Amino acid sequence: MSTAIMGEDGLARCPWGLSAPDYVAYHDDEWGRPVRDDQGLYERLCLEAFQSGLSWLTILRKREGFRAAFCGFDPEKVAAFGPGDVERLMADAAIVRNRAKIDATIANARAALDLPGGLAATAWRYADPDSPSYTDMADVPAYTDASKALAKELKKHGFRFVGPTTAYALMQACGLVDDHLTGCHRHGGA
């Protein structure tokens, strides 16, 4: 089923929001809610990059491990990481141990600190408050012109592991677009 589904609690949700118990709270309390601070956007960007090629559920279940490993995703602290930190992270089973993604997380912290106006201001320039509404998950795009432009802007400033699909996932997660299905109780910011 790819339309909103009624949960046991009587609330309709996007189907992925009921596909595993871990998803219910994430769907209801976080996904699609506006994130307007640099550190919050940086965390989501890093997690979306780590998710590339993997299940979001894997990342969600390791989220606290990521937070501990990357100093709460404080860009100033992560930007100071060196080779020893990379080796420490490569040995940390609490996160996804992928050197390219770890290196990108460090590079993205440095890029975020150098980004004129900051990461949140940059990302929110690409927000679409009038994004289309979808009734079926099959209609939700993997990327949009806005996510292509956001990815291009971030890459221009030195960000890595942020293509149009990752940028769109960031936009969805941080409320820059509302991709909760029309039948979902969270659609429209509810």
Side-chain angles (χ1 to χ4, degrees):
M1 179 171 255
S2 60
T3 59
I5 302 171
M6 191 65 64
E8 291 180 10
D9 59 2
L11 295 175
R13 290 180 178 82
C14 302
W16 66 265
L18 286 169
S19 62
D22 302 66
Y23 279 149
V24 175
Y26 178 70
H27 173 275
D28 288 1
D29 300 331
E30 187 172 352
W31 191 78
R33 293 201 186 249
V35 176
R36 296 190 180 270
D37 66 291
D38 287 349
Q39 189 165 333
L41 263 288
Y42 171 68
E43 175 182 355
R44 271 52 160 221
L45 179 66
C46 294
L47 294 176
E48 294 295 348
F50 270 102
Q51 185 271 329
S52 181
L54 301 172
S55 159
W56 179 248
L57 192 56
T58 299
I59 302 306
L60 195 56
R61 288 178 175 165
K62 288 183 174 276
R63 190 173 193 180
E64 291 309 314
F66 278 111
R67 284 177 171 162
F70 289 101
C71 302
F73 289 101
D74 180 330
E76 288 189 23
K77 291 179 180 177
V78 177
F81 282 12
D85 294 294
V86 173
E87 294 312 313
R88 170 184 57 82
L89 293 165
M90 287 297 295
D92 189 344
I95 67 168
V96 173
R97 295 174 285 183
N98 177 301
R99 187 175 299 273
K101 292 177 182 182
I102 290 168
D103 288 343
T105 299
I106 297 167
N108 290 349
R110 294 171 183 154
L113 294 175
D114 291 338
L115 191 61
L119 181 57
T122 299
W124 278 92
R125 283 200 310 266
Y126 296 91
D128 186 358
D130 300 317
S131 58
S133 294
Y134 303 103
T135 58
D136 193 297
M137 289 302 299
D139 297 329
V140 178
Y143 60 87
T144 62
D145 289 343
S147 74
K148 287 193 270 186
L150 174 57
K152 183 177 180 180
E153 175 80 9
L154 293 175
K155 285 181 181 181
K156 179 176 88 174
H157 289 283
F159 284 81
R160 297 193 283 185
F161 254 95
V162 61
T165 301
T166 298
Y168 195 64
L170 175 71
M171 294 171 77
Q172 291 172 308
C174 295
L176 283 77
V177 296
D178 180 4
D179 278 353
H180 284 283
L181 298 179
T182 54
C184 174
H185 80 280
R186 287 281 296 115
H187 179 74

